[in-house]
Amino acid sequence: MVLGLFSCSKNTQTHPPVGGVLSKNDLDVSKQRMKNLNSQERYHIQEWINGQPAKYYPTQLNYWVNVQGFDQRQRRQDDTFISYSYDLYDFDQTKIYDQPIQRRDARFGHFDELKAVEDALRFIHDGEEVTLLVPSALAYGTYGDEKKIDNDIPLIIKLKAL
């Protein structure tokens, strides 16, 4: 039941007018839309969690992880290196891409990654695998990835530090 609700909460993309500038009213409407969408997604993710045998814990950045106290661990610093991979799933638990997304020797502060992934990489231990439940705002947001992930889609991310 919850999974069908995610698809109902999809909204159409909006783009700024040809001049590229949004009015204050447009910005307020957009901000309110994102606030409402985030509230809906958080509610649906929590409902999904309630139906799972595994426990998930909220983080300060607004995603959930399957490790208690995860974002209270010591944080990796900028300019340190990490190798990692992750798989993306929708909330039907369908894998989105056949191959994992993988990075070798990425340096903190110098790579561009999904907000939730970059945050989780700061706290993950070498060799550890964690599962993240991520609202769309911390995933691919309003535009999707322009491939297989549509706009405003929350994701399950299985992340591993290599």
Side-chain angles (χ1 to χ4, degrees), residues 8-9 13 19 31 53 57 70 88-89 105 126-127 135 140:
C8 295
S9 68
Q13 294 187 62
K31 190 185 297 183
Y57 306 91
F70 184 74
L88 301 172
Y89 297 81
D105 299 319
D126 291 342
Y140 290 96

Side-chain angles (χ1 to χ4, degrees), residues 49 55-59 63-71 73 120 128-134 157 159:
I49 289 170
K55 290 202 177 267
Y56 291 90
Y57 306 91
T59 65
Y63 64 90
W64 289 261
V65 65
N66 64 336
V67 176
Q68 188 170 16
F70 184 74
D71 62 349
R73 294 173 172 181
E128 185 178 27
E129 186 170 338
V130 297
T131 300
L132 313 176
L133 309 178
V134 182
I157 301 173
L159 174 65

Side-chain angles (χ1 to χ4, degrees), residues 27 76 106-107 149 158:
L27 289 172
R76 293 178 193 248
R107 189 164 51 138
I149 301 171
K158 294 189 179 186

Side-chain angles (χ1 to χ4, degrees), residues 6-53:
F6 277 119
S7 62
C8 295
S9 68
K10 261 176 66 171
N11 294 301
T12 58
Q13 294 187 62
T14 57
H15 299 281
V18 174
V21 178
L22 291 172
S23 70
K24 181 177 179 348
N25 184 56
D26 289 339
L27 289 172
D28 289 344
V29 168
S30 178
K31 190 185 297 183
Q32 189 60 46
R33 176 192 170 279
M34 288 308 295
K35 187 176 177 180
N36 292 343
L37 178 63
N38 189 45
S39 293
Q40 287 176 0
E41 287 180 1
R42 289 186 60 76
Y43 172 79
H44 293 306
I45 290 171
Q46 189 60 58
E47 288 295 307
W48 184 88
I49 289 170
N50 293 344
Q52 301 304 307

Side-chain angles (χ1 to χ4, degrees), residues 84-88 97 99-103 113 140:
Y84 60 94
S85 70
Y86 60 92
D87 285 301
L88 301 172
Y97 289 105
Q99 298 299 316
I101 296 166
Q102 188 167 319
R103 309 262 190 277
E113 192 54 84
Y140 290 96

